[in-house]
Amino acid sequence: METIFFTFILLLVSMTGIGIGVLFFGKNAERSACGSVPEAAHEDCPSQKAGLCPIEDKTGALKMANMSKLSH
């Protein structure tokens, strides 16, 4: 019986703490359209220096390579 009482008190304190945290320290909701694309940073990043950024496929070779996969 003591374990159930202790568990109930612990849950009550935890839920109260979470509720107070959400009410007073919560982040304001963004009022933006769903599915909006974030702006890309135009700074040099390590992945761009390594050549891992997406490239424009002018010759169509990348599309042909992807089409040769069994699961596309």
Side-chain angles (χ1 to χ4, degrees):
M1 186 70 179
E2 294 172 358
T3 306
I4 294 173
F5 184 69
F6 178 73
T7 304
F8 179 73
I9 297 292
L10 185 65
L11 285 174
L12 184 66
V13 169
S14 299
M15 292 300 136
T16 304
I18 289 173
I20 290 172
V22 169
L23 286 176
F24 293 112
F25 304 110
K27 183 180 175 184
N28 292 338
E30 291 184 23
R31 304 287 187 221
S32 61
C34 293
S36 61
V37 178
E39 294 293 326
H42 297 288
E43 301 173 5
D44 288 338
C45 60
S47 60
Q48 186 177 13
K49 291 178 183 176
L52 298 176
C53 294
I55 58 171
E56 186 178 347
D57 186 23
K58 294 179 182 178
T59 62
L62 184 60
K63 182 179 178 183
M64 293 295 282
N66 286 335
M67 291 295 288
S68 66
K69 294 181 182 177
L70 291 177
S71 60
H72 58 284

